[in-house]
Amino acid sequence: MGERRKTIKQLAQMKRAAQPIAMMTAYDYPSAVLAEQAGADIVLIGDSLAQVVQGHTATSSVTLDDVVYHTRIVARAVRTPLIVADMPFGTYHGSDDRTIDHVVALVQDGGAHAVKMEGADVCGAVRAAVRVGVPVFGHLGVQPQSVHRHGGYFVQGKTVHDAEQLREDALRLQEAGACAIVLELVTAHVAQEITEALDIPTIGIGSGACCDGQVLVFHDIVGYDPLPHRPKSFVKAYAAAADVMRDALKQFVQDVRSGAFPSPSHAHAPSEEEKR
Ligand code: KIV
């Protein structure tokens, strides 16, 4: 029998057993299959798809339809990781009914098992989703959907006041029913304190080694960024996929121009039998 789908209960057990949780984003069939083959516990259809797939500059450009579309593709590809879909900007800040409609779209049309919401002021939306039976990942620290309010991507939790606020926010999200919290760009010691204070797992990105798990964007892990962007200090690129792919594509173009491709072995000639 194959491996079973990761559950929220297992993620909580992993925290208790100090077994780190590995989460990565995926947006399409090949990236999702690779994530599963790599043994990811969770795949996130992140609204980072705005930047890494769609060429936008901010995650706020992503629509609910976009996330549903990409979630459906990822859900078709994976059997074992838990599938978490980001709730796009503006889809969980209205009435509970509206939030529930959007959560239902991600679960029913997309195939998500859980959703993720950014911020500390979303406890009502968390409760609404949990009420209809959908687990919610919180997201504190840097919140790309409200980057303009924060004025940029700055490390969070540096002052005593900010650290205290983050701890309170995390506890409020837990109390509202969140099943895990992503901590983005939070100072390592505050991330550790929050992790120790919570019963639910924390998943860090740029928040040090003491979270219960780590998440990175697929394209960052494999170095699939064809344009030279400012390197993110918290990212470890395990490959240089863009370089490998560019070299392959250049070789193809060169071979077409030189006539080296296709060679006779790439063409279909009728067999002796077919000729008769
Ligand atoms: O959208 C995303 O990829 C995310 C991760 C950075 C956690 O939210």
Side-chain angles (χ1 to χ4, degrees):
M1 206 171 65
E3 215 186 318
R4 303 278 283 274
R5 179 87 66 190
K6 205 57 97 200
T7 62
I8 300 294
K9 203 169 157 192
Q10 281 173 309
L11 297 178
Q13 281 163 356
M14 288 172 80
K15 175 182 176 101
R16 287 196 293 275
Q19 199 182 327
I21 298 164
M23 171 166 167
M24 57 186 75
T25 65
Y27 315 95
D28 59 13
Y29 197 86
S31 61
V33 169
L34 290 172
E36 164 139 49
Q37 289 173 347
D41 298 305
I42 307 170
V43 289
L44 169 69
I45 299 82
D47 56 5
S48 52
L49 80 89
Q51 290 104 330
V52 299
V53 175
Q54 298 176 325
H56 291 296
T57 52
T59 58
S60 49
S61 303
V62 165
T63 67
L64 185 69
D65 284 349
D66 291 337
V67 181
V68 168
Y69 171 82
H70 285 275
T71 304
R72 206 181 286 140
I73 295 171
V74 169
R76 218 175 279 143
V78 302
R79 288 172 308 107
T80 51
L82 189 82
I83 301 170
V84 182
D86 246 338
M87 296 218 46
F89 173 69
T91 61
Y92 51 105
H93 300 94
S95 67
D96 285 356
D97 284 350
R98 198 161 167 264
T99 297
I100 290 171
D101 284 348
H102 299 150
V103 170
V104 168
L106 289 166
V107 171
Q108 220 163 42
D109 304 340
H113 304 126
V115 297
K116 178 164 80 60
M117 301 178 186
E118 286 183 15
D121 304 327
V122 296
C123 288
V126 172
R127 283 196 191 90
V130 170
R131 215 167 40 240
V132 292
V134 178
V136 180
F137 283 56
H139 183 146
L140 295 175
V142 164
Q143 295 154 37
Q145 290 179 6
S146 34
V147 66
H148 300 301
R149 197 179 73 195
H150 299 294
Y153 296 90
F154 303 117
V155 177
Q156 306 287 304
K158 282 184 169 170
T159 66
V160 174
H161 173 265
D162 287 354
E164 189 48 44
Q165 186 65 58
L166 272 168
R167 263 193 305 271
E168 270 175 30
D169 292 345
L171 287 167
R172 277 200 298 135
L173 283 172
Q174 172 173 273
E175 155 46 36
C179 66
I181 299 183
V182 169
L183 295 176
E184 180 163 355
L185 271 184
V186 171
T187 59
H189 81 276
V190 173
Q192 179 175 1
E193 280 175 15
I194 293 174
T195 301
E196 286 167 2
L198 294 180
D199 297 324
I200 56 175
T202 58
I203 317 276
I205 172 162
S207 300
C210 294
C211 295
D212 298 305
Q214 297 291 328
V215 56
L216 281 180
V217 167
F218 179 93
H219 293 56
D220 290 339
I221 300 173
V222 301
Y224 183 19
D225 183 357
L227 303 172
H229 286 119
R230 198 154 53 90
K232 299 174 199 148
S233 57
F234 57 87
V235 162
K236 179 169 174 187
Y238 290 81
D243 294 344
V244 171
M245 291 163 102
R246 189 184 304 103
D247 286 349
L249 298 171
K250 274 186 183 166
Q251 191 62 53
F252 169 73
V253 170
Q254 214 172 299
D255 283 1
V256 169
R257 292 193 176 135
S258 71
F261 178 84
S263 69
S265 70
H266 298 114
H268 298 284
S271 64
E272 285 309 312
E273 204 174 308
E274 282 167 328
K275 274 194 222 158
R276 271 187 247 126

